[in-house]
Amino acid sequence: LVTPFPPGGAADTLARALAKSLNEAYGATVVVENRAGAGGTIGTASVAKAAPDGYTLLLGNVSTLATAPSLYTRLSYDPLKDFTPLTLVGRSPLVFAVNPGVKAGNLRELIDAAAAQPGSLDYGSSGAGSITHLTGELLNVNAKGGMVHVPYKGSAPVVMAMVSGELDMGVTQVAEMLQQYRAKQVRALAITGNQRLSAVPDVPTAAESGIKGLDATTWYAVVAPKDLPKPVADKLQPMLVKALENPDMKKRFAEEGLILESSSPEALADLMRSEIPKWEGVVKRAGVKLD
């Protein structure tokens, strides 16, 4: 099971939990291999070129399977043509958090302040072109472009910058700021998605705050190389779905803001087809290119 990101991150943690659940459910030996680099596109490309025998799978996400085609002009794979979709794995809403010194009491007040005084507020992301950057751009549309983007090398520096007061707002996955949120070192104004999370039950959705168009989530999915024989796909997909139903694993990730969710291969293909053009528009508006 290839995860195209470094060890220790959200994708790696999820991949290892999924591998463990598969081992426990079927006695299968699943090895997680980290092939990081170029925003996840190196590891993703390696799976696209792998033999379609069912022994090499990819735990991809919205970045590698939806936003990458718009960000990289020389991308060596096509998410829709070079993979066999198997199942969605889960969705992680993103959170808009601020340092305690920011006066805005909710998301509407924040974007109104940014629109009234362009350049007075900044927001941090885990890097140019990341899903946190692009989601911040979706918010910035509501602020009439008044917020200044500050890219960091990962989410941990974003959270630390908010805690120190260096940064006004950060866009991260919920799990990445949960410790600081619970310690009241940052304030969470809203989350993306269409429902509240049990991990942060008091934090409203952006829609509840009166901001539309912020249903973006970091989603994860398992795909195989293209031309995977149907009998192999028909065996693998139910195995993955059953592994995702592990109650301990579901509870653990729900507490961290990641909702495990399986799907049919067809539903995953539909999701990818809808997400690619959605993010293409955001990338163009943000003027981001990574090669």
Side-chain angles (χ1 to χ4, degrees):
L1 180 62
V2 174
T3 174
F5 299 101
D12 177 65
T13 301
L14 181 56
R16 293 182 188 281
L18 180 58
K20 183 174 182 289
S21 184
L22 283 166
N23 291 342
E24 292 173 349
Y26 298 100
T29 300
V30 182
V31 177
V32 175
E33 183 175 348
N34 299 90
R35 294 185 188 174
T41 60
I42 291 176
T44 303
S46 74
V47 176
K49 297 178 177 67
D53 54 12
Y55 289 102
T56 303
L57 304 176
L58 171 76
L59 179 68
N61 67 5
V62 60
S63 296
T64 59
L65 297 175
T67 67
S70 302
L71 291 166
Y72 296 89
T73 55
R74 295 187 296 273
L75 193 66
S76 61
Y77 63 87
D78 184 322
L80 298 178
K81 295 179 180 179
D82 293 334
F83 298 101
T84 301
L86 292 174
T87 180
L88 186 69
V89 170
R91 300 176 188 265
S92 178
L94 298 171
V95 60
F96 302 103
V98 295
N99 78 62
V102 171
K103 294 181 179 179
N106 55 55
L107 196 60
R108 169 56 69 185
E109 290 180 5
L110 183 83
I111 64 172
D112 286 348
Q117 291 185 296
S120 62
L121 291 170
D122 53 30
Y123 79 92
S125 77
S126 57
S130 65
I131 192 66
T132 53
H133 172 203
L134 299 179
T135 301
E137 285 301 310
L138 284 175
L139 180 67
N140 210 6
V141 169
N142 291 275
K144 300 179 181 178
M147 300 186 72
V148 178
H149 173 232
V150 182
Y152 287 78
K153 293 182 179 180
S155 291
V158 173
V159 176
M160 290 302 99
M162 280 192 289
V163 171
S164 69
E166 172 188 313
L167 190 64
D168 295 318
M169 187 188 81
V171 186
T172 73
Q173 291 190 53
V174 172
E176 293 165 334
M177 51 68 71
L178 206 50
Q179 180 180 343
Q180 290 74 19
Y181 167 74
R182 288 172 175 166
K184 300 187 184 305
Q185 293 176 310
V186 300
R187 287 190 293 118
L189 298 185
I191 59 170
T192 63
N194 54 22
Q195 63 182 28
R196 292 196 184 198
L197 288 177
S198 59
V200 285
D202 296 331
V203 180
T205 65
E208 287 180 285
S209 304
I211 314 299
K212 296 182 179 180
L214 290 174
D215 56 349
T217 59
T218 297
W219 50 263
Y220 297 90
V222 174
V223 298
K226 69 177 180 180
D227 299 326
L228 185 71
K230 190 174 185 302
V232 178
D234 288 347
K235 182 177 181 179
L236 278 172
Q237 200 269 349
M239 290 174 65
L240 290 162
V241 169
K242 182 177 179 181
L244 289 168
E245 292 172 351
N246 181 306
D248 292 336
M249 188 167 77
K250 293 187 79 163
K251 180 176 183 292
R252 169 194 169 185
F253 282 103
E255 290 172 350
E256 298 177 358
L258 173 60
I259 308 303
L260 298 186
E261 177 186 348
S262 61
S263 74
S264 67
E266 294 77 17
L268 174 55
D270 287 344
L271 173 66
M272 291 165 61
R273 276 193 291 267
S274 66
E275 288 277 278
I276 290 172
K278 166 187 170 179
W279 291 111
E280 181 181 14
V282 179
V283 169
K284 285 182 178 178
R285 189 162 58 241
V288 184
K289 284 294 178 186
L290 299 183
D291 61 2

